[in-house]
Amino acid sequence: METLANLESFVRSAENGGFSAAARQLGLTPAAVSPNVAMLERNLGVRLFQRSTRKLTLTEAGERFLETVRGHLRGLQSAIADVSRDDEEPAGVLKVSMALTFGMDYLLPLLPEFLARYPNIRIDWDFENRQVDLISEGFDAAIGGGIELAPGVVSRPLAPAHIIAVASPAYLAGKDLPTDPSELLKFTGIGMRSVRTGRIRNWTMRNVAGQEMAAQTTDTLVMNDPEAMCRSALLGLGVALVAVPHASPHLESGRLVRVLPKWYADAGPISLYYATRTMLPAKTRVFVEHVVEAFKKQRLAQRFAGSLG
């Protein structure tokens, strides 16, 4: 009978292409992971990896075994976590990454109730508009959109990241409003530069009838932060294409208005990301559950939907 440690070491090494990366994910040392895999190979009587100084490569037998065992391993991990979670007191430092404005507006307000419920958890949050490496940087979770899933990382969608066109009433005064996204070309554009790629984002917008059209903009101003784009729009500098969560407070106050109320672009979901482990720490588990429940209770998915405009 194989041990769970041997199977975990094999699956994570296969997914990450090496013992070192697997060890970081499992919270072990490479010196512990390699013997676990070697023992599994001896017990099975088959070589699962071709080893070189640069990387691990699955053998044909290793590929077949990975496909067979991976799903069963997840089931075992889930069963272990379910059995143990009732007796585990959530405690420790909870390290989470999120964008500054989104975190301040939608995550910080959740802390009073969360900490009252789990007083042994200490908060260590990073407010940065970038994609972090959960494993290597030691984060328990991250919240954002468009994050690439690394091996061993899962996501829980929270709400849509719908992009809408907004501007100040003062900027729009005396101008003929556009009837579709192609007419945005007539206005001064406030563009978004991707933090990850460095490129200016281009959007294809759709309306409530399902029609799609490229948003034609002249980006006179380019920013790499959505809050800076909103602030620029508030100053009357042009039309900004930003996600609803960032524009929402300004729309509610009337300081910004939607330029094309029936059109929006879909940037994918805003998600909560965390690493899969044999037993998800109680602090992370209750944080995930708290955030998901709060987003449902506040109907943020519906509020962030640009298609409702």
Side-chain angles (χ1 to χ4, degrees):
M1 178 69 68
E2 285 307 325
T3 67
L4 191 61
N6 290 353
L7 293 173
E8 281 187 317
S9 295
F10 163 69
V11 171
R12 301 308 172 215
S13 297
E15 290 178 338
N16 290 279
F19 295 138
S20 296
R24 287 194 299 270
Q25 189 171 326
L26 293 168
L28 303 173
T29 65
V33 172
S34 179
N36 287 347
V37 174
M39 182 181 296
L40 176 62
E41 290 178 319
R42 285 197 302 273
N43 293 344
L44 294 176
V46 64
R47 183 175 292 279
L48 299 172
F49 289 112
Q50 296 291 352
R51 294 163 172 80
S52 70
T53 56
R54 293 186 176 181
K55 64 177 182 177
L56 293 177
T57 305
L58 283 168
T59 63
E60 185 177 344
E63 290 178 353
R64 292 199 306 271
F65 188 64
L66 177 64
E67 288 301 314
T68 301
V69 77
R70 181 156 43 189
H72 296 293
L73 178 62
R74 288 173 182 155
L76 284 171
Q77 292 170 334
S78 177
I80 292 171
D82 286 341
V83 168
S84 63
R85 66 174 52 179
D86 292 336
D87 298 325
E88 188 179 3
E89 178 66 23
V93 177
L94 180 69
K95 189 174 181 181
V96 184
S97 172
M98 67 197 76
L100 175 60
T101 304
F102 187 84
M104 297 280 280
D105 287 345
Y106 303 105
L107 276 303
L108 270 184
L110 307 183
L111 274 185
E113 181 182 348
F114 180 75
L115 291 176
R117 188 181 301 177
Y118 307 108
N120 293 324
I121 292 179
R122 288 177 292 146
I123 299 300
D124 183 356
W125 285 6
D126 277 21
F127 294 90
E128 296 181 275
N129 189 24
R130 70 178 181 93
Q131 177 174 339
V132 299
D133 187 324
L134 291 178
I135 307 302
S136 67
E137 297 185 56
F139 284 94
D140 296 295
I143 298 170
I147 295 178
E148 295 180 355
L149 286 182
V153 174
V154 297
S155 66
R156 289 281 297 274
L158 297 173
H162 284 173
I163 307 298
I164 59 174
V166 297
S168 70
Y171 174 78
L172 296 174
K175 295 181 174 65
D176 293 330
L177 296 180
T179 58
D180 63 52
S182 68
E183 294 184 4
L184 291 176
L185 198 59
K186 302 174 184 177
F187 298 84
T188 301
I190 303 170
M192 173 71 172
R193 186 181 301 280
S194 170
V195 174
R196 184 164 54 87
T197 67
R199 299 190 183 95
I200 298 176
R201 298 295 302 265
N202 295 311
W203 301 107
T204 297
M205 303 187 80
R206 64 186 66 165
N207 63 14
V208 292
Q211 296 175 297
E212 293 190 350
M213 186 178 299
Q216 302 291 331
T217 59
T218 301
D219 296 321
T220 305
L221 293 81
V222 176
M223 312 284 177
N224 71 346
D225 181 82
E227 182 58 23
M229 296 172 67
C230 284
R231 297 291 182 91
S232 298
L234 287 168
L235 293 171
L237 297 179
V239 176
L241 288 167
V242 294
V244 175
H246 297 287
S248 184
H250 308 299
L251 294 172
E252 291 172 2
S253 70
R255 298 177 67 200
L256 291 179
V257 296
R258 286 186 67 169
V259 177
L260 291 164
K262 300 300 182 181
W263 292 83
Y264 70 99
D266 190 350
I270 299 167
S271 298
L272 177 55
Y273 302 83
Y274 53 96
T276 56
R277 299 176 184 172
T278 305
M279 295 169 62
L280 190 68
K283 62 179 181 179
T284 308
R285 172 176 52 80
V286 296
F287 174 71
V288 171
E289 292 172 352
H290 188 76
V291 172
V292 169
E293 181 59 29
F295 269 63
K296 288 181 180 177
K297 186 181 298 183
Q298 297 178 34
R299 296 176 57 83
L300 290 181
Q302 291 82 357
R303 289 169 55 189
F304 293 169
S307 55
L308 299 182

